[in-house]
Amino acid sequence: MLRFGTQSINDKGHLTIGGCDSLDLAAAFGTPLYVLDEALVRENCRSYRRAFGERYPEVEVAFAGKALLCQAVCAIMQQEGMLLDVASRGELHTALTAGFPLERIHLHGNCKTEVDLDFALDSGVHRVVVDSLPELRLLSELASRRGIAADIQIRVGPGVKTQTHTFIQTGQDDSKFGLGIASGAALEAAKLAADSDSIRLCGIHAHIGSQLFGLDSYRRAVEVMMEFAARVAAVNGGLEEVNLGGGLGIQYTHEDAPPTIDELAEVIASAMKAEAERLGLALPRLMLEPGRSIVGPAGTTLYRVIVVKELPGVRTYVSVDGGLSDNPRPCMYGAEYEAVIANKADQKPEMTVRVSGAHCETDTLIPEATIQHAEPGDVLAVFATGAYNYAMASNYNRFCRPAMVTVYDGRAEIIIEREQLDDLIRQDRVPERLRQGG
Ligand code: LLP
């Protein structure tokens, strides 16, 4: 069985997380349930800050909120001294209402509207990460109307190809994200920004992809970014910061062997220093935006096994009370997970089954899971669901989205309430015309 963070097995043979028995969690809070190992989240934040801080003079690590955001997560990130990267007004609103300091928030998005930019300028975020020339012109105009200068980074496409699912490759030239270096668009944006009184060009930004295992892509990204930084510095009279985005992969299955945070830090910090020296550039502030590698391994989803269907000579289907609506990743990206029967965690896995969800869809969660003998009523724990699960959850089939609890030192606390049936109809309206009984 895979083990993450504080996971263990107690004397009842049950999986425990954060000192809490997962069977008690399922009974107290219901299923499906997202369980977040707070100690592991904190440890991952600290590892990033330590690993990079030890190797590079000035570093800021932002948590990429798109991986998992709610007010309690904002609070944890604030306590851990992280910056926060938000990708929408919704994420920004979450951070603001959680009291996350504005001067530590970056606003992302490839398609920000005037309303988004107004909101960003009015709230006074630390950086707007500009993704296109029209956005840059609009931001400059909006800031100028307010008589202020907006602090920005320019998101560039570094033209670095990565080995990951095509949906989450973002560094290549053919991408909707950022301004291409190769096409000249990125330099044009830098010149425009340098010439504008209402824009302060603080840095350049790249995010080359997600769930990456190859450190070479990062080395290449640093080379490209530092070369570009030198060109931008020439037109901008210097450049304070280089932001390398997120992307470090995590272990979902026994086959996955991602690099450690220290290995990532070693490659990036040494490449940054070598490039700065080669180009005669002052070392810029280094920024990072990990999401998955902070929260992914810290999440476990608990489901109740509802139906076990043996199809003789074919396979056994184990259907659980969630699926596509709480974790669309297997359907979207063919993402792989491993699981354990939480109430039999001390027993040897003995059957290979297909774990399916409860939706009107072939929502396979795990095509071939080798697990303990599964029976209706068991609790199935799926590992490494902390990133892009709750964040991508939906109400498909009008399922209620699950609750989330943090577990820490034997205490479990709700951080996201389970949606109730009435939440599903809260926005529904029936025009008078349709009420008359047809
Ligand atoms: N910064 C930027 C600008 C990003 O676009 C992303 C992720 C990150 C940072 C954080 O990347 P991470 O460290 O989490 O890899 N829904 C997909 C992942 C989409 C990633 C989008 N951008 C999935 O479930 O695999």
Side-chain angles (χ1 to χ4, degrees):
M1 163 186 139
L2 291 172
R3 288 255 185 117
F4 297 96
T6 62
Q7 286 175 353
S8 183
I9 297 173
N10 65 15
D11 49 14
K12 293 183 193 153
H14 296 176
L15 172 72
T16 66
I17 315 168
C20 298
D21 185 317
S22 53
L23 268 288
D24 295 343
L25 295 174
F29 300 103
T31 52
L33 180 69
Y34 297 117
V35 181
L36 192 66
D37 182 345
E38 187 178 327
L40 184 54
V41 173
R42 290 182 183 277
E43 184 187 320
N44 290 336
C45 294
R46 288 171 200 178
S47 295
Y48 262 100
R49 297 192 62 213
R50 179 199 45 75
F52 281 89
E54 277 171 8
R55 294 172 170 90
Y56 196 86
E58 206 189 336
V59 184
E60 289 278 16
V61 186
F63 171 63
K66 66 202 72 177
L68 172 64
L69 205 70
C70 62
Q71 293 179 329
V73 167
C74 291
I76 294 173
M77 295 305 155
Q78 188 178 346
Q79 287 179 358
E80 291 302 329
M82 304 284 278
L83 269 64
L84 185 67
D85 134 17
V86 298
S88 69
R89 245 179 308 144
E91 289 184 2
L92 181 53
H93 181 68
T94 306
L96 294 182
T97 53
F100 198 90
L102 275 164
E103 65 280 8
R104 301 187 65 76
I105 296 179
H106 292 182
L107 178 67
H108 276 277
N110 72 297
C111 192
K112 302 182 200 76
T113 64
E114 185 166 338
V115 178
D116 296 329
L117 295 175
D118 274 333
F119 196 62
L121 290 176
D122 292 338
S123 56
V125 297
H126 183 236
R127 301 278 183 268
V128 176
V129 184
V130 172
D131 204 279
S132 69
L133 287 168
E135 180 190 336
L136 181 58
R137 291 193 193 99
L138 179 59
L139 184 67
S140 166
E141 191 188 313
L142 296 174
S144 144
R145 269 189 231 157
R146 288 167 169 81
I148 58 170
D151 289 342
I152 71 158
Q153 290 176 355
I154 293 176
R155 174 160 182 180
V156 308
V160 175
K161 274 211 162 178
T162 49
Q163 297 289 320
T164 189
H165 194 285
T166 47
F167 289 7
I168 49 178
Q169 278 181 351
T170 45
Q172 73 280 18
D173 285 330
D174 181 1
S175 169
K176 73 166 184 172
F177 295 106
L179 289 140
I181 294 182
S183 70
L187 193 63
E188 192 185 335
K191 286 182 183 151
L192 211 86
D195 288 345
S196 163
D197 291 336
S198 46
I199 296 286
R200 202 171 71 86
L201 176 54
C202 306
I204 54 173
H205 172 288
H207 169 75
I208 54 174
S210 200
Q211 184 58 2
L212 304 179
F213 285 10
L215 292 177
D216 268 354
S217 308
Y218 281 102
R219 193 173 290 118
R220 182 77 198 114
V222 170
E223 287 164 12
V224 174
M225 290 296 278
M226 287 296 276
E227 255 173 41
F228 186 62
R231 292 165 66 199
V232 173
V235 299
N236 191 49
L239 191 71
E240 290 166 35
E241 57 207 27
V242 169
N243 188 331
L244 293 174
L248 179 64
I250 63 165
Q251 181 177 34
Y252 284 102
T253 71
H254 275 91
E255 271 86 69
D256 295 333
T260 62
I261 294 169
D262 272 287
E263 286 166 342
L264 176 73
E266 187 55 42
V267 164
I268 290 182
S270 54
M272 288 287 294
K273 290 183 203 156
E275 286 304 295
E277 198 180 318
R278 187 175 70 83
L279 297 159
L281 207 63
L283 273 187
R285 181 180 308 121
L286 171 62
M287 289 188 171
L288 300 143
E289 290 170 348
R292 188 190 316 266
S293 49
I294 301 276
V295 290
T300 306
T301 307
L302 302 180
Y303 298 97
R304 189 70 67 175
V305 174
I306 306 294
V307 177
V308 178
K309 205 177 268 182
E310 281 176 42
L311 306 185
V314 186
R315 70 173 81 248
T316 297
Y317 281 86
V318 171
S319 294
V320 297
D321 57 355
L324 182 63
S325 59
D326 60 79
N327 184 1
R329 301 191 68 259
C331 290
M332 273 187 81
Y333 317 112
E336 294 179 11
Y337 289 90
E338 288 186 13
V340 67
I341 301 280
N343 46 305
K344 300 171 184 166
D346 60 340
Q347 297 174 23
K348 275 218 153 62
E350 60 171 64
M351 58 204 289
T352 297
V353 302
R354 177 157 295 179
V355 178
S356 303
H359 297 79
C360 301
E361 194 86 35
T362 307
D363 61 339
T364 301
L365 271 174
I366 309 179
E368 296 207 334
T370 302
I371 54 174
Q372 295 76 6
H373 182 72
E375 295 159 290
D378 283 343
V379 170
L380 184 86
V382 177
F383 299 121
T385 58
Y388 305 109
N389 275 227
Y390 167 75
M392 295 176 78
S394 75
N395 291 119
Y396 182 52
N397 288 157
R398 290 225 148 180
F399 268 55
C400 295
R401 274 174 294 186
M404 186 178 299
V405 293
T406 49
V407 288
Y408 190 79
D409 234 356
R411 280 173 67 177
E413 290 160 303
I414 282 274
I415 58 169
I416 301 174
E417 291 280 1
R418 181 176 304 283
E419 276 179 347
Q420 301 298 320
L421 292 175
D422 277 344
D423 293 323
L424 300 173
I425 55 166
R426 197 173 305 286
Q427 314 296 110
D428 286 13
R429 301 292 178 266
V430 183
E432 196 54 43
R433 181 174 64 76
L434 299 179
R435 289 178 199 235
Q436 289 154 6

